[in-house]
C-alpha cells in the first residue's frame, strides 16, 4: 500500500513501464495502444456523514480504467492512504488481469479515506452506504456498469451493505445483487470465494511445475509439486490457502515470514497448525521445532525451490534481488517484485510467475458470483440430482455386468453430482490452466523476456481486438 503521493505515482509509472515494454511487441496501432493504456474515467467525491452528533466529511474515489468490456470490476479499499495514482495503477492492473484469464470485465478500483481499524461498525456502515449512494446516483455502480468487490480494509460485511443500499435505491431491479461481489453466501455470495486466490496460485504453480521445458536448466525436477521446498511470505487469506493446497499436494513448506518475524524448519512446517498458533498467540514466532527469524525479510534470501510473496508490494527490490536463491518467484501479492528487481532475477535465471496471472483466482470466482446473481440460481441446483441418478444407473450396469458389488463408500464416491463449490473449483482450475498455456505460448512465440511481459502482451492483444471489433463511436 502506498504511503505517500510519490509512492502512488511510482507504482503507476511502474505499471505503465511494464505496459510500454509489452506494447513494443504488439502489432496494434499507436492510437489503439494509447486508448488501452489510458484511464477512462476518475470520479472523486466528498460527502458528509453525521457521527455522534457531529458532521464529518469523507473523501471517496472510483476509477474505471477501461470500458472495452462492461461491467468494469475492482475492489474498494478503506485506508487513510488512499491515493489517486495508486488507485489508477490498481484499476489498470485489473483490466489486464481480467483479460489474461478471459473474464469479460474492464478494470476498476475505488477507495475511501477512512481508518477501518479505529472506526466503529456504525461509522463504517454509514460511510459505506453513503459512498455507495454517491456512486449509485451517478450510475457508477450496477451489475451492467461497475461491480466493486472487497479490498484492503473491506470485506463481505461492507459488500452486503453496498448491495442492500443498491437494492433500496433501485427497488425491484431483478439483478440488483450482481452490483457487487464478495458478499456473504447468504446474501448472494458464492461458495469457494474465500480460498479462490490461494487455490488459483496452487493451480498456476502446479501447471508450471508440470512444464518440464520451462524448468530446463534451473535445477528443478519437473512433473509434480511433490517435495518442492516453499517459503511463504504472508500467512493471510491468500498465503495461507496457497501454502495449504501446495502442502496437500506434497510440497514442503520450509519457511513462513510475517510482520513480526518468521519461522523456518527444513523438514517442513504444518501450515494449518502454524496458522492456528498465530491466531492463538498473535505471533508466528516460537512455533514448535522451528528456528525464529526476528527480521522476516532475511527469509526471502534463504535457499528454496519456490518463494511465494503473498503480502505486500515491492518486497523484492534492487537491494535484495541479487541475493534471492529461489528458483521460482510466485507472485501471490500485487506487485511484490519491482521493475529493477525483475531484471536482476531474470538475469539470474529465476522464473517469475507474475501476479497478473497467478493471483487472478479471486476475480475469476468473483465473475462466477456475478453470473450466479444474474441467473438468480445456485450453481448445481438444477443438475446435481439428475447427474447422480445418471451415475447410479451406470454403476448399476457395471455391477450387473461384472457380477461384483461395490461398497457403500465406493458407490457414494462414484455417484456424487457436482455441487456449487465443486463447479466453482472446476471452473477456476480450467481458467488457470488455459491462461498459463496461453501466456507461455506467447512468451515462446514472441520471445518476450519472461512471463510477465507475455501476460501483459496477451492482455493488450485481447483488449485491442475488442476495440477493433467494436469500432470507435461515433
Amino acid at each position: 500500500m502506498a504511503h505517500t503521493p510519490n509512492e502512488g505515482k511510482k507504482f503507476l509509472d511502474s505499471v505503465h513501464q511494464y505496459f510500454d515494454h509489452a506494447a513494443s511487441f504488439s502489432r496494434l496501432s499507436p492510437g489503439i495502444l494509447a486508448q488501452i493504456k489510458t484511464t477512462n474515467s476518475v470520479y472523486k467525491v466528498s460527502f458528509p456523514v453525521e457521527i455522534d452528533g457531529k458532521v464529518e466529511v469523507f473523501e471517496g474515489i472510483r476509477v474505471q480504467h477501461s470500458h472495452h468490456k462492461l461491467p468494469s470490476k475492482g475492489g474498494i479499499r478503506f485506508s487513510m492512504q488512499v491515493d489517486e495514482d495508486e488507485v489508477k495503477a490498481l484499476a489498470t492492473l485489473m483490466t489486464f488481469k481480467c483479460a489474461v484469464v478471459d473474464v469479460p470485465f474492464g478494470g476498476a478500483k475505488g477507495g475511501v479515506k477512512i481508518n477501518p481499524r479505529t472506526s466503529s461498525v456504525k461509522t463504517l456502515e454509514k460511510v459505506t452506504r453513503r459512498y455507495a449512494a454517491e456512486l449509485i446516483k451517478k450510475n457508477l455502480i450496477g451489475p451492467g456498469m461497475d461491480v466493486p468487490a472487497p479490498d484492503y480494509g473491506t470485506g463481505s460485511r461492507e459488500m452486503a451493505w453496498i448491495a442492500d443500499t443498491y437494492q433500496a435505491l433501485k427497488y425491484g431491479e431483478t439483478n440488483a445483487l450482481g452490483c457487487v461481489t464478495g458478499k456473504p453466501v447468504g446474501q448472494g455470495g458464492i461458495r469457494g470465494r474465500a480460498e479462490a486466490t490461494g487455490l488459483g496460485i496452487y493451480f498456476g504453480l502446479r501447471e508450471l511445475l508440470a512444464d518440464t521445458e520451462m524448468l530446463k536448466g534451473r535445477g528443478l525436477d519437473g512433473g509434480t509439486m511433490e517435495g518442492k521446498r516453499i517459503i511463504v511470505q504472508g500467512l493471510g487469506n491468500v498465503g495461507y490457502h496457497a501454502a495449504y493446497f501446495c502442502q496437500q499436494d506434497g510440497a514442503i513448506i520450509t519457511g513462513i515470514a510475517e510482520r513480526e518475524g518468521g519461522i523456518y524448519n527444513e523438514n517442513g512446517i504444518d501450515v494449518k497448525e502454524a496458522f492456528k498458533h498465530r491466531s492463538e498467540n498473535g505471533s508466528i514466532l516460537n512455533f514448535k521445532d522451528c528456528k525464529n527469524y526476528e527480521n522476516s525479510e532475511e527469509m526471502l534470501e534463504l535457499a528454496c525451490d519456490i518463494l511465494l510473496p503473498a503480502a505486500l508490494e515491492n518486497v523484492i527490490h534492487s537491494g535484495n534481488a541479487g541475493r534471492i536463491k529461489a528458483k521460482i518467484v510466485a507472485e501471490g501479492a500485487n506487485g511484490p517484485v519491482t521493475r529493477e528487481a525483475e531484471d536482476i532475477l531474470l538475469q539470474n535465471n529465476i522464473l517469475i510467475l507474475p501476479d497478473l496471472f497467478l493471483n487472478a483466482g479471486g476475480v475469476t470466482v468473483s465473475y462466477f458470483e456475478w453470473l450466479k446473481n444474474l441467473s438468480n440460481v445456485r450453481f448445481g441446483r438444477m443438475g446435481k440430482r439428475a447427474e447422480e441418478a445418471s451415475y447410479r444407473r451406470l454403476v448399476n450396469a457395471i455391477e450387473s455386468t461384472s457380477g461384483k458389488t461395490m461398497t457403500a463408500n465406493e458407490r457414494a464416491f462414484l455417484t456424487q453430482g457436482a455441487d456449487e463449490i465443486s463447479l466453482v473449483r472446476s471452473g477456476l482450475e480450467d481458467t488457470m490452466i488455459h491462461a498459463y498455456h496461453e501466456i507461455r505460448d506467447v512468451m515462446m512465440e514472441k520471445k518476450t523476456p519472461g512471463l510477465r511481459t507475455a501476460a501483459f502482451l496477451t492482455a493488450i492483444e485481447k483488449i485491442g481486438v475488442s476495440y477493433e471489433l467494436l469500432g470507435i463511436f461515433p
Side-chain angles (χ1 to χ4, degrees):
M1 185 181 66
H3 296 283
T4 67
N6 190 41
E7 282 184 52
K9 185 172 186 318
K10 268 162 56 181
F11 186 19
L12 182 59
D13 288 345
S14 173
V15 172
H16 285 161
Q17 283 169 10
Y18 281 131
F19 175 90
D20 291 339
H21 182 55
S24 68
F25 292 85
S26 175
R27 57 168 185 84
L28 296 167
S29 69
I32 292 289
L33 288 170
Q35 173 55 42
I36 295 169
K37 180 179 176 179
T38 195
T39 297
N40 284 181
S41 62
V42 179
Y43 179 63
K44 295 175 89 168
V45 61
S46 295
F47 52 86
V49 175
E50 188 182 317
I51 295 163
D52 299 329
K54 293 178 183 171
V55 173
E56 285 188 40
V57 176
F58 292 86
E59 289 177 41
I61 185 169
R62 187 70 181 168
V63 172
Q64 293 174 354
H65 171 261
S66 181
H67 295 144
H68 75 285
K69 300 261 189 204
L70 285 177
S72 45
K73 185 92 187 73
I76 292 171
R77 56 178 50 190
F78 281 5
S79 164
M80 291 308 293
Q81 276 82 37
V82 165
D83 160 66
E84 183 178 332
D85 282 331
E86 181 197 32
V87 176
K88 276 184 179 177
L90 292 164
T92 306
L93 284 175
M94 277 301 297
T95 293
F96 300 124
K97 192 177 290 190
C98 289
V100 164
V101 290
D102 291 322
V103 168
F105 294 144
K109 208 76 177 183
V112 177
K113 274 194 180 177
I114 183 172
N115 188 334
R117 291 201 177 110
T118 57
S119 303
S120 69
V121 173
K122 188 178 176 185
T123 298
L124 286 170
E125 181 173 3
K126 281 186 167 185
V127 170
T128 302
R129 288 181 180 276
R130 181 59 192 259
Y131 172 67
E134 293 292 331
L135 297 180
I136 292 162
K137 72 185 185 188
K138 293 289 185 186
N139 205 29
L140 288 172
I141 182 176
M145 181 59 64
D146 188 1
V147 180
D151 195 81
Y152 182 88
T154 60
S156 57
R157 177 185 65 183
E158 285 76 15
M159 299 309 110
W161 290 335
I162 292 173
D164 184 62
T165 307
Y166 187 86
Q167 285 178 305
L169 296 177
K170 300 272 189 177
Y171 191 72
E173 188 172 311
T174 317
N175 297 327
L177 280 175
C179 74
V180 69
T181 62
K183 303 178 292 294
V185 171
Q187 298 297 117
I190 197 164
R191 289 158 188 84
R193 176 65 186 87
E195 70 271 25
T197 308
L199 184 57
I201 289 168
Y202 160 71
F203 287 140
L205 257 174
R206 188 191 67 185
E207 213 53 30
L208 171 64
L209 290 170
D211 189 347
T212 49
E213 189 67 27
M214 282 287 282
L215 300 182
K216 255 184 198 165
R218 298 180 199 269
L220 265 175
D221 296 329
T224 66
M225 187 75 70
E226 189 74 37
K228 300 298 181 290
R229 307 173 80 73
I230 301 177
I231 291 176
V232 184
Q233 187 215 24
L235 202 62
N237 182 49
V238 175
Y240 168 71
H241 283 110
Y244 175 75
F245 286 114
C246 288
Q247 189 168 61
Q248 292 290 97
D249 198 17
I252 302 163
I253 311 300
T254 55
I256 300 172
E258 257 297 346
R259 273 173 302 197
E260 65 275 6
I263 54 172
Y264 183 84
N265 183 340
E266 63 177 16
N267 298 316
I269 299 165
D270 186 314
V271 174
K272 220 171 190 175
E273 287 297 315
F275 186 80
K276 188 179 169 196
H277 168 84
R278 187 168 191 253
S279 302
E280 290 171 354
N281 299 288
S283 169
I284 196 81
L285 297 171
N286 303 318
F287 185 60
K288 61 186 178 188
D289 303 325
C290 285
K291 178 184 175 183
N292 281 345
Y293 277 81
E294 296 299 325
N295 179 4
S296 62
E297 286 184 20
E298 289 175 30
M299 297 190 67
L300 300 174
E301 300 169 20
L302 297 176
C304 60
D305 295 317
I306 300 161
L307 177 61
L308 177 53
L312 304 167
E313 62 258 19
N314 302 337
V315 294
I316 300 174
H317 43 78
S318 55
N320 65 2
R323 297 191 297 275
I324 301 293
K325 298 181 187 73
K327 298 171 179 98
I328 297 168
V329 172
E331 295 187 332
N334 281 316
V337 178
T338 67
R339 185 85 180 87
E340 301 78 22
E342 168 136 332
D343 292 337
I344 296 167
L345 295 178
L346 293 176
Q347 281 164 18
N348 291 342
N349 201 29
I350 294 170
L351 256 171
I352 302 170
L353 264 183
D355 52 358
L356 210 58
F357 155 69
L358 197 63
N359 70 19
V363 74
T364 301
V365 175
S366 283
Y367 169 50
F368 299 159
E369 181 180 332
W370 178 75
L371 290 175
K372 174 186 179 178
N373 297 151
L374 296 193
S375 63
N376 288 285
V377 65
R378 183 184 76 244
F379 289 135
R381 182 171 182 176
M382 304 284 282
K384 185 174 189 284
R385 302 300 172 187
E387 271 182 27
E388 289 180 354
S390 176
Y391 295 151
R392 272 198 302 274
R393 288 193 292 272
L394 190 61
V395 165
N396 290 341
I398 291 167
E399 286 184 332
S400 170
T401 307
S402 67
K404 292 180 179 175
T405 305
M406 294 183 190
T407 66
N409 283 346
E410 286 169 341
R411 280 185 75 89
F413 177 73
L414 290 171
T415 60
Q416 187 178 0
D419 55 9
E420 183 166 271
I421 195 161
S422 58
L423 287 166
V424 164
R425 289 183 172 182
S426 166
L428 175 58
E429 182 175 13
D430 182 68
T431 298
M432 297 305 290
I433 290 170
H434 179 77
Y436 171 77
H437 288 285
E438 197 168 46
I439 62 175
R440 184 233 196 250
D441 291 347
V442 167
M443 178 180 143
M444 294 301 183
E445 185 188 327
K446 300 280 189 178
K447 296 184 170 50
T448 64
L451 286 164
R452 189 191 315 279
T453 305
F456 265 96
L457 181 57
T458 303
I460 288 166
E461 294 289 327
K462 287 178 184 175
I463 298 164
V465 166
S466 287
Y467 278 120
E468 286 176 343
L469 293 177
L470 288 169
I472 305 295
F473 176 81

